[in-house]
Amino acid sequence: MDIVVCIKQVPDPEHFSKIVLDAKTKLVRREGIPVVVNQVDKHALEAALQIREKFSGRVTVISMGPPQAREAIEEAFAMGADGGVLLSDRAFAGADSLTTAYTLAQAIKKFSPFDLILLGNETADSGTRQVAPQLAEFLDVPHVTNVRTIGFNSGDTLIVERSMENGHMKIEVRLPAVLAVNRTINEPRIPSVIDIMQVATKEIKVCGLADLGLSSEDVGLVGSPTQMANLFESRRERRREILDGAAVTAARQAVERLRELNAL
Amino acid sequence: MTGKNETWVYAEQKAGHASKATLQLLGKAVELGKETGSPTVCVLVGSGAQGVPRELAAYGASKVYVVDDPRLELYQSEAYASVVAGLVKEHCPEIFLFAATDVGEDLAPRVAAKVGTGLTAHCIDLRIEKRDGVPLLHQTVPAWGGGMRIDIVCPKHRPQMATVKPGVFDLPVPKSDSNAEVVDVPAQLNEKHFRARTIEVKEEAQRETPLTEADAVVAVGWGAYSLGGIQCPQELAEAVCGTLAGTRPMVDSGWIPPDRMVGQSGKVVSSRLFISLGASGAMHFTSGFERAKFVVAVDQNPKAPIFQVADIGIVGDLREVLPCLTEEIKKQKSSKG
Ligand SMILES: Cc1cc2nc3c(=O)[nH]c(=O)nc-3n(C[C@H](O)[C@H](O)[C@H](O)COP(=O)(O)OP(=O)(O)OC[C@H]3O[C@@H](n4cnc5c(N)ncnc54)[C@H](O)[C@@H]3O)c2cc1C
Ligand SMILES: Cc1cc2nc3c(=O)[nH]c(=O)nc-3n(C[C@H](O)[C@H](O)[C@H](O)COP(=O)(O)OP(=O)(O)OC[C@H]3O[C@@H](n4cnc5c(N)ncnc54)[C@H](O)[C@@H]3O)c2cc1C
């Protein structure tokens, strides 16, 4: 079974409070902010590795991002991925979800025959949850989002459970297909030292616009239908009464005010 | 293709009634339509929802496209996307809004990809602004930094598509005498549309009030980690007869279940009372309780942006403040009887 896993490198959520959007470029200013593999993407990779262990096959990770995103692929190698593709080109920068899905789809068509494509359900840094259904559309295969279990039926069908607000859905999916998983699906493995030493033996295929044979009109910021417009500051007006005395006093004053305001 | 100057809303229904989120969106669509001079149109997909168009009319729909087919009784991702995208291609509306729900979040992206247009996720506001005389939908989402927002626009492609979480907009007042033109649309489907086939939908009984309906909400942020557990916040939640919720880091670390996350990618609450414990006040979080009536925030950092959006802010260590706060509230409640 050939499995492709899409992974994204994101700013470390623990440093989110230091991130700002550049007022001019409307791009995220992330200098000095450490990057990590989007957490749920590791769960997607873990699911792929478990399937490979059961049925044999090959797991290829693919990521679109700056040259630095090779670290994300190396981390996936350490976990056990067999191959890696990095889509990196200035022209790809600033892609919205549609263009991201389009570019990933073109690369997968070109380099990675697949039975199954796994993604995370959402990224920590923009979390639109849109890439998986759009990728499936560009590849003309079915998709399921928010997947919490993957079971194998006979031959080329899966039975997956999709988490819902208030329960779950059971869905029968014919392969090839795109699944976006959530974090309840498994616990990602922690690579051992030996696994980490393996990383150097695996090669990352780096591709740019020309390698994919795409037009710069169709990718990145230029190819994206959505655009960032005005960045502004706005809050709902509140009383903003600050109590900074000793805990006991402040708590008493707060409750007193809440009572006066009829808020309790 | 020249499109119709219409504002569309994807109508979700359950047990023969339009969802509340749909009706909230309709209210907003009507408002936007007043600015662009466009009628509001709904798309309703499913099986046996005869009463729903009348309900949609009462909330402002002037036309409803109904795709009624027994094969569409349960949500079927590809089949739904195919019929909805078919309608979009035929009529090409200016604007198309979806509720960001289990169905809407899954359906809207695939429809947008089929049509080749942009889609803005989890908007916290929508309004029309003119650019070179052309009305453009400004779709506001939280940006980084407390209080910062950014508008996303889709200038060259139509429709302009957006998803909005339930609870972001007001429920409008229905008009019982309104009528909508109902247009029945046959579903053109084949085997291929069911490569992913939903075979069962299982609802689990809800233990607590859904966050969106709660009268009081106590939300823990990463600062509550210092408490070593959720007992104390839970006790406060009980004292105010409220529901416990949290920020994304608290959900990610497993302290709070995912359906209890407040914010742009979680729930939008409109409780009477909202108490934030140890959350810094990122816009992604604070946009989830803008509609709460009274906000109390506790944080040890006096500069935390959370204090800018609180009615009452207590600067202090949760480990000291929280027990006092809970005790004072209990006293207050018992004296009230
Ligand atoms: C503040 C802000 C708001 C934004 N709002 C929107 C918006 O409303 N609409 C829009 O279209 N775009 C939006 N974007 C752009 C969006 O961040 C990019 O499209 C991004 O490349 C993909 O979307 P996502 O991160 O939301 O992916 P999601 O759909 O949340 O990600 C799902 C999964 O897709 C895979 N994946 C995502 N990106 C990659 C990648 N680069 N390489 C490999 N796999 C990947 C991962 O497995 C991931 O877990 C916004 C960006 C910012 C900064
Ligand atoms: C696209 C996108 C969508 C997002 N959606 C959401 C969402 O829906 N909901 C959400 O919550 N987040 C969301 N986030 C994340 C958001 O940006 C913030 O990272 C997050 O809200 C921060 O959570 P926090 O306030 O709990 O943690 P922090 O920012 O780490 O704040 C912790 C606070 O606790 C205080 N503190 C620490 N110890 C104590 C103590 N002992 N006593 C008192 N105070 C203490 C600190 O002073 C600090 O202010 C989203 C992010 C993105 C990019």
Side-chain angles (χ1 to χ4, degrees):
Chain A
M1 167 121 38
D2 283 317
I3 309 173
V4 173
V5 183
C6 300
I7 63 171
K8 186 184 186 188
Q9 193 178 49
V10 297
D12 186 344
E14 289 196 17
H15 295 260
F16 271 11
S17 54
K18 291 180 224 141
I19 298 180
V20 288
L21 270 188
D22 190 288
K24 254 220 187 89
T25 63
K26 316 273 164 45
L27 292 177
V28 176
R29 272 216 302 254
R30 37 167 88 177
E31 295 95 67
I33 314 262
V35 286
V36 295
V37 176
N38 185 49
Q39 180 58 34
V40 67
D41 300 355
K42 290 193 199 171
H43 295 252
L45 177 57
E46 177 62 37
L49 296 171
Q50 288 181 13
I51 295 169
R52 184 191 65 188
E53 278 152 17
K54 221 163 158 182
F55 300 99
S56 86
R58 196 180 147 77
V59 174
T60 307
V61 292
I62 178 162
S63 185
M64 183 176 89
Q68 192 188 10
R70 66 167 30 246
E71 292 161 16
I73 296 177
E74 284 166 359
E75 200 172 329
F77 282 167
M79 279 178 70
D82 303 294
V85 181
L86 173 62
L87 307 177
S88 197
D89 195 306
R90 274 182 188 281
F92 297 155
D96 69 2
S97 73
L98 191 77
T99 311
T100 299
Y102 171 77
T103 312
L104 290 172
Q106 300 312 312
I108 290 170
K109 276 187 197 162
K110 195 150 186 153
F111 301 116
S112 306
F114 64 93
D115 301 297
L116 182 61
I117 302 181
L118 295 173
L119 292 85
N121 201 54
E122 68 197 79
T123 60
D125 66 341
S126 50
T128 61
R129 304 176 185 156
Q130 292 173 179
V131 170
Q134 301 192 318
L135 177 63
E137 178 59 28
F138 286 124
L139 293 171
D140 190 20
V141 297
H143 80 268
V144 184
T145 54
N146 217 356
V147 170
R148 66 176 196 189
T149 63
I150 303 174
F152 283 82
N153 222 358
S154 57
D156 63 349
T157 55
L158 307 176
I159 297 274
V160 305
E161 275 180 15
R162 171 174 192 250
S163 303
M164 293 197 310
E165 179 67 34
N166 237 331
H168 69 271
M169 262 179 191
K170 227 181 229 162
I171 301 160
E172 205 175 69
V173 193
R174 218 180 309 150
L175 296 177
V178 168
L179 305 181
V181 308
N182 64 38
R183 289 172 62 167
T184 58
I185 194 161
N186 56 36
E187 243 346 288
R189 65 195 62 190
I190 314 249
S192 69
V193 178
I194 296 172
D195 296 331
I196 293 169
M197 279 158 51
Q198 296 277 315
V199 170
T201 66
K202 300 179 189 171
E203 210 178 317
I204 299 175
K205 186 188 196 81
V206 183
C207 305
L209 191 67
D211 306 297
L212 296 183
L214 299 178
S215 150
S216 60
E217 299 285 294
D218 296 331
V219 299
L221 192 62
V222 181
S224 294
T226 64
Q227 293 176 2
M228 301 283 186
N230 34 324
L231 179 69
F232 59 105
E233 197 166 357
S234 157
R235 297 182 179 85
R236 171 164 167 191
E237 278 305 312
R238 298 274 183 194
R239 287 188 169 73
R240 299 199 209 171
E241 299 174 9
I242 299 293
L243 304 168
D244 53 6
V248 194
T249 326
R252 190 179 317 122
Q253 289 169 331
V255 174
E256 186 59 32
R257 279 299 280 149
L258 286 175
R259 194 186 53 80
E260 285 165 15
L261 295 168
N262 235 339
L264 283 177
Chain B
M1 177 171 54
T2 51
K4 287 188 184 161
N5 184 16
E6 290 178 344
T7 306
W8 283 22
V9 172
Y10 178 77
E12 285 188 42
Q13 55 98 15
K14 206 175 139 188
H17 288 287
S19 77
K20 214 165 148 185
T22 298
L23 302 176
Q24 293 163 347
L25 274 187
L26 256 176
K28 189 43 128 189
V30 168
E31 237 175 70
L32 297 172
K34 279 189 189 136
E35 301 219 12
T36 56
S38 62
T40 306
V41 175
C42 283
V43 178
L44 178 67
V45 183
S47 172
Q50 282 81 3
V52 179
R54 185 188 300 265
E55 215 173 359
L56 297 171
Y59 284 86
S62 57
K63 192 194 291 181
V64 183
Y65 290 109
V66 181
V67 187
D68 190 320
D69 189 301
R71 291 170 295 180
L72 301 175
E73 187 188 348
L74 303 179
Y75 172 63
Q76 306 289 352
S77 54
E78 280 197 88
Y80 272 51
S82 168
V83 297
V84 174
L87 281 166
V88 172
K89 285 182 187 157
E90 189 179 340
H91 303 285
C92 201
E94 273 292 300
I95 295 175
F96 197 0
L97 309 177
F98 290 72
T101 53
D102 289 325
V103 168
E105 280 194 339
D106 188 83
L107 177 61
R110 188 135 194 173
V111 170
K114 277 186 190 291
V115 179
T117 191
L119 173 64
T120 306
H122 311 143
C123 299
I124 57 172
D125 196 16
L126 296 171
R127 63 177 198 288
I128 301 290
E129 270 186 30
K130 292 226 161 105
R131 187 189 275 190
D132 305 326
V134 181
L136 207 55
L137 183 66
H138 278 237
Q139 309 161 85
T140 310
V141 297
W144 302 91
M148 297 306 290
R149 302 166 194 236
I150 191 159
D151 284 344
I152 293 180
V153 293
C154 179
K156 294 195 199 118
H157 301 72
R158 290 295 178 271
Q160 304 163 82
M161 288 179 59
T163 69
V164 180
K165 286 273 176 187
V168 168
F169 296 127
D170 282 324
L171 194 64
V173 181
K175 295 198 195 86
S176 56
D177 57 347
S178 307
N179 272 309
E181 180 193 349
V182 176
V183 182
D184 282 306
V185 181
Q188 274 153 2
L189 298 170
N190 56 47
E191 245 328 276
K192 194 187 157 207
H193 294 110
F194 295 90
R195 294 180 295 188
R197 184 190 299 275
T198 307
I199 47 183
E200 186 183 29
V201 175
K202 260 222 164 89
E203 303 223 335
E204 284 147 23
Q206 286 242 338
R207 290 145 298 162
E208 292 167 87
T209 329
L211 263 192
T212 45
E213 308 290 329
D215 186 47
V217 173
V218 173
V220 287
W222 189 238
Y225 197 77
S226 62
L227 298 166
I230 57 162
Q231 290 94 316
C232 283
Q234 178 68 47
E235 211 180 308
L236 176 64
E238 278 159 24
V240 295
C241 305
T243 309
L244 192 65
T247 62
R248 198 167 73 180
M250 294 310 264
V251 171
D252 285 348
S253 58
W255 283 44
I256 298 288
D259 64 330
R260 301 270 138 166
M261 181 168 85
V262 172
Q264 187 206 9
S265 20
K267 295 283 149 53
V268 175
V269 308
S270 44
S271 53
R272 187 179 39 81
L273 180 62
F274 187 91
I275 305 181
S276 165
L277 304 173
S280 59
M283 188 71 215
H284 303 110
F285 169 59
T286 61
S287 59
F289 59 88
E290 250 161 40
R291 299 166 58 86
K293 193 137 187 240
F294 296 102
V295 174
V296 179
V298 185
D299 200 287
Q300 67 183 13
N301 175 8
K303 294 209 184 89
I306 191 77
F307 291 125
Q308 311 248 321
V309 290
D311 292 298
I312 298 170
I314 305 178
V315 182
D317 191 319
L318 273 176
R319 287 167 289 190
E320 292 164 20
V321 177
L322 185 54
C324 300
L325 192 59
T326 308
E327 200 192 340
E328 288 294 331
I329 285 178
K330 280 185 182 159
K331 260 197 240 164
Q332 179 65 39
K333 291 254 170 175
S334 63
S335 73
K336 244 183 4 190

